[in-house]
Amino acid sequence: MADPKQTLTPEQIADAGLTGWHQEGESLTARFDTGDFATGLAFVNRVGVSAEAANHHPDILLTYPEVTVTLSSHDVGGVTSRDLALAGTVSAHAEELGVTIAAD
């Protein structure tokens, strides 16, 4: 695994193959269509548990009927392997709940 304190290049981020995630400046963002508020809340709760376990905390916006997740390693000012790992976990939670990544 890459150094968790090393920012990644756009090419490294693209090579991670995270469908639906895109880089916005120093962050990695994805929107998820939850279909309803209760599913969105369940999704946010799962993301929160995983974020706590990883000691890496995303910005999460819960609205009806979607959730936006933004990841960034603020301590180094960019996207790191920590963000890629948590993005993969977030995507797995979405799949488990039948939540789809929103088209931009």
Side-chain angles (χ1 to χ4, degrees), residues 55-75:
N55 193 29
H56 192 56
H57 305 99
D59 293 330
I60 301 172
L61 177 62
L62 168 61
T63 59
Y64 176 81
E66 67 184 34
V67 172
T68 302
V69 179
T70 302
L71 300 165
S72 181
S73 294
H74 302 289
D75 58 337

Side-chain angles (χ1 to χ4, degrees), residues 73-99:
S73 294
H74 302 289
D75 58 337
V76 296
V79 177
T80 68
S81 61
R82 293 175 286 167
D83 301 298
L84 297 183
L86 190 52
T89 300
V90 169
S91 292
H93 289 317
E95 187 174 334
E96 291 163 3
L97 290 170
V99 170

Side-chain angles (χ1 to χ4, degrees), residues 4-103:
K5 296 285 187 172
Q6 180 67 44
T7 57
L8 302 175
T9 66
E11 293 79 19
Q12 290 171 309
I13 294 167
D15 288 347
L18 294 168
T19 303
W21 290 87
H22 57 278
Q23 187 174 6
E24 293 181 356
E26 297 176 348
S27 300
L28 195 60
T29 300
R31 278 187 317 112
F32 298 88
D33 287 327
T34 60
D36 60 68
F37 192 80
T39 302
L41 187 56
F43 177 57
V44 167
N45 285 333
R46 287 187 186 198
V47 171
V49 168
S50 294
E52 277 297 305
N55 193 29
H56 192 56
H57 305 99
D59 293 330
I60 301 172
L61 177 62
L62 168 61
T63 59
Y64 176 81
E66 67 184 34
V67 172
T68 302
V69 179
T70 302
L71 300 165
S72 181
S73 294
H74 302 289
D75 58 337
V76 296
V79 177
T80 68
S81 61
R82 293 175 286 167
D83 301 298
L84 297 183
L86 190 52
T89 300
V90 169
S91 292
H93 289 317
E95 187 174 334
E96 291 163 3
L97 290 170
V99 170
T100 59
I101 293 183

